[in-house]
């Protein structure tokens, strides 16, 4: 609201730091106050709302955090600092955010110190941008015709806060943890749950059926999932 902007500017701030805000400040604010955005990607790659999730869905392991000077375009401003972070190939989005957090702090502190010293160097973004659009229903739905690795990456990218969606025994089911299937797909009577994929199979490790708690696949197969093991 305009009154909130007026109240903020009345303090005569030198810098605003914005993280996970999801909006562009009004131009009169950007003209008056240096505004630094903390963005969890290596821009211009993955500009937008869901950079961590999109990077993991793409199977990437080299993620990062960038501090930008906010401009009128979403994540289009010049770069103050970049920090690269290696994320393990089996990490989910929660793990990735935890690994990125210290890098974000380090990048913000370095940028603010450079601003305070008067020697910050804002660098224009270089390269073709990619966009991390907001996660929608189609992004959550598992397509079993896709490669097994793509499905595993989808599941971990949407955990532990969104959830990839499939159907088991006629009930909407969220998949929270999975691994790439190795060898022949297991018989569920052995306590392991396999999901067919386009080029193999995915081992489901943790799931949640609608109206129920999260549980390990083995626990599911001892309960409602016993129907999957019937001849």
């Amino acid at each position: 609201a305009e009154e909130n902007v007026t109240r903020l500017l009345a303090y005569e701030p030198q810098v605003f730091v914005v993280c996970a805000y999801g909006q562009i400040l009004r131009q009169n604010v950007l003209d008056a106050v240096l505004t630094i955005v903390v963005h969890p990607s290596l821009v211009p790659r993955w500009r937008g709302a869901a950079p961590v999730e999109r990077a993991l869905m793409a199977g990437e392991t080299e993620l990062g955090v960038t501090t930008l000077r906010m401009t009128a375009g979403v994540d289009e401003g010049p770069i103050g600092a970049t920090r690269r972070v290696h994320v393990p190939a089996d990490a989910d989005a929660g793990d990735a955010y935890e690994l990125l957090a210290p890098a974000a702090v380090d990048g913000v502190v370095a940028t603010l110190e450079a601003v305070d010293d008067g020697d910050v160097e804002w660098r224009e973004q270089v390269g073709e941008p990619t966009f991390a659009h907001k996660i929608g229903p189609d992004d959550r739905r598992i397509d079993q015709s896709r490669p097994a690795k793509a499905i595993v990456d989808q599941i971990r990218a949407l955990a532990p806060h969104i959830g990839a969606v499939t159907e088991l025994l006629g009930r909407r089911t969220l998949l929270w943890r999975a691994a790439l299937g190795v060898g022949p797909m297991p018989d569920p009577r052995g306590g392991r749950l396999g999901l067919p994929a386009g080029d193999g199979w995915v081992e489901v490790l943790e799931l949640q059926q609608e109206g129920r708690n999260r549980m390990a696949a083995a626990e599911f197969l001892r309960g409602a999932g016993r129907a999957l093991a019937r001849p």
Side-chain angles (χ1 to χ4, degrees):
E2 188 63 38
E3 59 269 22
N4 292 331
V5 172
T6 302
R7 189 179 300 116
L8 283 172
L9 294 179
Y11 290 106
E12 299 183 355
Q14 292 180 298
V15 180
F16 287 146
V17 176
V18 176
C19 181
Y21 183 54
Q23 298 183 50
I24 299 294
L25 296 178
R26 297 181 183 182
Q27 191 61 50
N28 64 319
V29 178
L30 298 180
D31 291 339
V33 182
L34 170 63
T35 302
I36 297 171
V37 180
V38 189
H39 187 69
S41 84
L42 300 171
V43 293
R45 188 150 184 80
W46 303 125
R47 293 176 181 171
V52 172
E53 291 82 0
R54 294 293 180 186
L56 295 184
M57 288 173 76
E60 296 182 8
T61 56
E62 292 300 317
L63 279 64
V65 178
T66 306
T67 57
L68 307 166
R69 191 177 70 209
M70 183 181 280
T71 62
V74 176
D75 302 325
E76 294 180 4
I79 296 169
T82 299
R83 298 291 184 269
R84 292 181 176 271
V85 177
H86 177 76
V87 174
D90 61 350
D92 66 20
D95 300 326
Y97 278 115
E98 287 190 16
L99 291 169
L100 289 167
V105 172
D106 185 68
V108 169
V109 170
T111 302
L112 290 175
E113 287 179 344
V115 169
D116 189 52
D117 292 340
D119 61 358
V120 64
E121 295 183 7
W122 297 106
R123 297 174 285 110
E124 294 301 318
Q125 297 183 28
V126 177
E128 189 70 24
T130 59
F131 299 95
H133 300 294
K134 183 178 179 180
I135 301 296
D138 289 342
D139 298 305
R140 301 181 63 191
R141 194 173 299 111
I142 292 175
D143 177 357
Q144 290 180 234
S145 69
R146 299 178 70 213
K149 184 180 184 305
I151 294 174
V152 171
D153 288 338
Q154 177 187 11
I155 292 168
R156 68 189 183 91
L158 300 179
H161 56 317
I162 299 174
V165 179
T166 190
E167 186 175 289
L168 287 175
L169 300 173
R171 188 186 291 263
R172 183 176 185 268
T173 304
L174 303 181
L175 303 187
W176 293 114
R177 285 198 307 122
L180 199 61
V182 178
M185 196 165 82
D187 186 326
R189 287 174 290 188
R192 295 170 64 197
L193 179 58
L195 188 73
D199 63 351
W201 61 281
V202 170
E203 181 164 7
V204 177
L205 302 174
E206 186 178 358
L207 56 88
Q208 182 179 12
Q209 288 208 296
E210 194 168 36
R212 296 176 178 171
N213 294 326
R214 296 188 190 191
M215 63 182 68
E219 181 183 356
F220 169 72
L221 290 171
R222 289 193 298 269
R226 283 180 296 181
L228 292 172
R230 292 173 186 159

